[in-house]
Amino acid sequence: MTEAIVRPGRKPLKRRPLGTHRPTRGGTLLTVFVWICVVYFVVPLVWLVIASTKDNTGLFTTFGLWFGQGFHLFDNLADVFSKDGGVFSQWMVNTVLYAVTSAVGATVLATACGFALAKYRFRGSSVVFWLVIGSIMVPMTALAIPTYLLFSSMNLTDTPWAIILPSLVSPFGVYLMRVYAADSVDDSLLEAARIDGSGELRTFATIGVRLLVPGMVTVLLFQLVATWNNYFLPLIMLNTPSLYPVTVGLAGWQAAASSGGGAQVLFSTVLTGSLVSIVPLIVAFLFLQRYWQSGLAAGSVKG
């Protein structure tokens, strides 16, 4: 309903009802850009779901964004979980182990480091923070070979520790938690806890951690996805197929399908395995999205 605002000596102004704002040129362009982004990200997922319902013949003889003759999803799933003695299940277990362990460990370390940088004043804290900022700019691929040489000297290659230990370090997580803790944890709460006799570790565990939960979930999800999708580091660290994560395992199947000269036609199997591998990530995002959104929103306005 339109409301009128009456001011002394002036013509009454009409207030535009909610939801009836006329779109501006910038708003229209932004809407078009958002829809382009939606199509860009959703179309490959739709293609993957449809391709998983086709057999190898249907993949190359039918339109990519529409279903082929017959519904072969369950046959493809049976092939995925039975090929090579059911090694795909082992790859999924390995991926969950690497991703969850690395994400939880990186979140704990990033939270403690970010809280310390934000709430404690010590000599060299600014240098440490700027080193963290600088390390964000270094791509992980550039560190893969030095990391391999270091772990090889300690005889840790071809073990799960070769994947988990490097993934425990998250410079972006430290930066995010430092920014988030600076304004989310009031200094007066910490002073009150110290006056009541609480130690620093207990204050961090009982006050700091509870106030930092949205930021911690954000770091957890970022690191979970990063480790889940990690390909290059496991590729150079692992030699035993039973230790592979799903990314390296599916890439091996794809290489066999591409170089086998038709001896092994595994395209539908690889595509269905790819679909299965992203289901846990989708479930994790749907379950933790409210914490993730609040953490990103808070981090975007604080600093």
Side-chain angles (χ1 to χ4, degrees):
M1 179 180 293
T2 304
E3 299 179 358
I5 301 176
V6 180
R7 296 180 180 177
R10 295 185 178 181
K11 186 179 180 179
L13 299 176
K14 291 184 179 180
R15 178 179 297 174
R16 192 183 299 273
L18 295 176
T20 60
H21 291 285
R22 182 177 299 174
T24 62
R25 178 177 299 179
T28 303
L29 292 177
L30 181 60
T31 302
V32 173
F33 178 74
V34 170
W35 276 108
I36 292 175
C37 291
V38 169
V39 172
Y40 179 79
F41 287 108
V42 171
V43 167
L45 182 60
V46 173
W47 180 88
L48 179 62
V49 173
I50 294 175
S52 300
T53 65
K54 301 178 182 179
D55 57 6
N56 289 304
T57 303
L59 284 174
F60 298 100
T61 58
T62 59
F63 180 59
L65 294 177
W66 195 245
F67 298 94
Q69 295 180 351
F71 188 79
H72 301 278
L73 176 61
F74 297 108
D75 296 333
N76 295 334
L77 288 174
D79 293 338
V80 168
F81 286 98
S82 61
K83 181 173 174 49
D84 293 341
V87 72
F88 182 81
S89 300
Q90 183 62 47
W91 293 344
M92 288 295 293
V93 172
N94 295 340
T95 305
V96 172
L97 173 65
Y98 300 153
V100 172
T101 305
S102 302
V104 172
T107 302
V108 172
L109 293 177
T111 302
C113 186
F115 183 84
L117 290 173
K119 294 301 173 183
Y120 294 98
R121 298 292 176 265
F122 55 92
R123 181 175 298 177
S125 60
S126 298
V127 176
V128 173
F129 179 67
W130 286 113
L131 287 176
V132 171
I133 296 293
S135 62
I136 295 176
M137 306 301 174
V138 180
M140 291 299 297
T141 306
L143 301 176
I145 299 301
T147 305
Y148 171 78
L149 296 176
L150 177 63
F151 277 74
S152 178
S153 64
M154 296 186 293
N155 295 322
L156 289 178
T157 54
D158 203 25
T159 66
W161 296 112
I163 310 302
I164 294 174
L165 290 180
S167 302
L168 293 178
V169 181
S170 174
F172 178 73
V174 174
Y175 166 75
L176 184 63
M177 293 309 301
R178 192 264 186 190
V179 173
Y180 193 81
D183 288 332
S184 296
V185 182
D186 198 332
D187 292 337
S188 60
L189 290 176
L190 303 180
E191 292 297 332
R194 293 183 184 117
I195 293 174
D196 290 340
S198 175
E200 298 299 330
L201 184 60
R202 182 182 178 186
T203 302
F204 168 70
T206 57
I207 297 178
V209 171
R210 293 185 179 182
L211 295 175
L212 297 175
V213 168
M216 294 174 63
V217 174
T218 304
V219 176
L220 178 73
L221 282 176
F222 272 121
Q223 196 63 22
L224 181 72
V225 174
T227 309
W228 192 283
N229 295 328
N230 198 352
Y231 171 75
F232 190 60
L233 183 65
L235 180 66
I236 65 172
M237 288 288 189
L238 302 177
N239 294 320
T240 305
S242 60
L243 293 177
Y244 285 170
V246 70
T247 51
V248 179
L250 289 176
W253 280 359
Q254 173 64 26
S258 301
S259 61
Q264 277 188 313
V265 183
L266 301 174
F267 298 106
S268 60
T269 304
V270 173
L271 291 174
T272 306
S274 300
L275 177 64
V276 175
S277 69
I278 65 174
V279 171
L281 286 181
I282 295 176
V283 173
F285 265 91
L286 293 178
F287 182 70
L288 299 173
Q289 63 173 338
R290 56 175 179 168
Y291 300 102
W292 185 53
Q293 291 173 352
S294 61
L296 283 180
S300 64
V301 298
K302 295 174 181 177

